[in-house]
Amino acid sequence: MEKLSLTEEISYIKGSESPLSADVIFIKGNTATWIFDVGACEDTLNEINSISGVKNIIISHFHGDHSNNLSKIDYNELYVSKYTYKYTEIGTLVDEDLYIDDGVKLHIFKIPSSHEKGCLGLEINDDLILLGDSFYPSRKGGKRSYNVQQIKAQIDLFSSLKGTRVYLSHDKKPIISKTIAIAFLKKTFALRDKNKNIIEL
């Protein structure tokens, strides 16, 4: 898999379908390489392990396609949500917004999500917002659905962030404007039935 550059500091590896593996994003700081998700395929694992120096990892959520390589990586710091910690049993818990300046400005934050509990996002230089799978609906029993409260909370959160672009894992065109992302969520939220807590797509 080819490592692609977004900026001088940010690069990424696209996810794969077989095995299912999420996009992995690399941010080069002054003292460390910051890695958002670690995927589940061997090519991504080899790329991560080829990086020398300090490696700090942020896991967006516990699903295996985002986290399975974790046990095969030597890293310095790991940041996880409380829910993901149940699976990793290790790492720094992100219970409130974390702001880190390592030559690049990093903002780690919790995301309310219909897709899964305990999602984390990463905002880079007040510009690019990494969302993992948190933007996506829940997929259960062959049905896709959004939770009404979660989608409203997500609209409010995204509106409050400084970044103007979002990065969506598993997407052919992973970067879209935050304005478009919020407009989609608002359009979906408008489909709600006041007597139901779920919006089925």
Side-chain angles (χ1 to χ4, degrees):
M1 289 183 184
E2 185 181 2
K3 192 175 180 182
L4 304 169
S5 293
L6 283 176
T7 68
E8 188 175 327
E9 298 94 359
I10 306 170
S11 56
Y12 67 100
I13 296 177
K14 285 296 299 169
S16 62
E17 292 295 325
S18 183
L20 183 62
S21 185
D23 295 22
V24 175
I25 296 89
F26 304 85
I27 305 103
K28 187 63 179 173
N30 288 342
T31 67
T33 299
W34 298 80
I35 304 170
F36 186 81
D37 285 334
V38 294
C41 68
E42 189 172 350
D43 287 347
T44 300
L45 174 63
N46 291 338
E47 180 63 36
I48 294 171
N49 282 334
S50 73
I51 296 170
S52 59
V54 176
K55 286 180 277 197
N56 296 333
I57 294 171
I58 302 151
I59 299 294
S60 66
H61 65 299
F62 71 91
H63 286 175
D65 56 317
H66 295 256
S67 63
N68 275 357
N69 281 333
L70 186 62
S71 63
K72 305 167 191 173
I73 297 168
D74 289 326
Y75 56 85
N76 295 80
E77 297 287 343
L78 172 66
Y79 297 85
V80 295
S81 70
K82 185 176 181 180
Y83 200 80
T84 297
Y85 186 87
K86 293 180 180 180
Y87 296 84
T88 62
E89 298 182 342
I90 192 171
T92 297
L93 291 180
V94 179
D95 283 328
E96 58 186 10
D97 288 17
L98 294 180
Y99 295 90
I100 300 164
D101 192 336
D102 188 23
V104 290
K105 291 169 61 179
L106 304 174
H107 169 207
I108 307 171
F109 57 94
K110 297 189 293 185
I111 306 178
S113 175
S114 299
H115 181 74
E116 191 53 79
K117 296 178 182 176
C119 288
L120 294 181
L122 176 64
E123 188 175 30
I124 308 167
N125 288 333
D126 296 336
D127 174 31
L128 185 64
I129 306 164
L130 310 182
L131 297 182
D133 289 356
S134 64
F135 185 76
Y136 302 137
S138 169
R139 292 177 178 268
K140 294 179 181 175
K143 294 182 179 180
R144 298 182 304 137
S145 62
Y146 281 98
N147 176 281
V148 172
Q149 285 77 31
Q150 298 285 24
I151 199 170
K152 177 62 169 64
Q154 201 170 83
I155 291 167
D156 292 342
L157 171 64
F158 293 171
S159 298
S160 74
L161 296 172
K162 295 179 180 178
T164 59
R165 301 180 297 154
V166 300
Y167 187 111
L168 309 173
S169 193
H170 302 291
D171 202 288
K172 290 181 180 179
K173 294 183 178 180
I175 299 176
I176 62 174
S177 78
K178 184 178 74 171
T179 301
I180 290 174
I182 292 173
F184 170 82
L185 293 174
K186 286 182 175 179
K187 184 177 180 180
T188 304
F189 184 69
L191 299 175
R192 69 193 183 282
D193 181 327
K194 66 179 181 179
N195 297 315
K196 295 182 180 179
N197 196 39
I198 297 295
I199 303 167
E200 290 190 352
L201 304 178

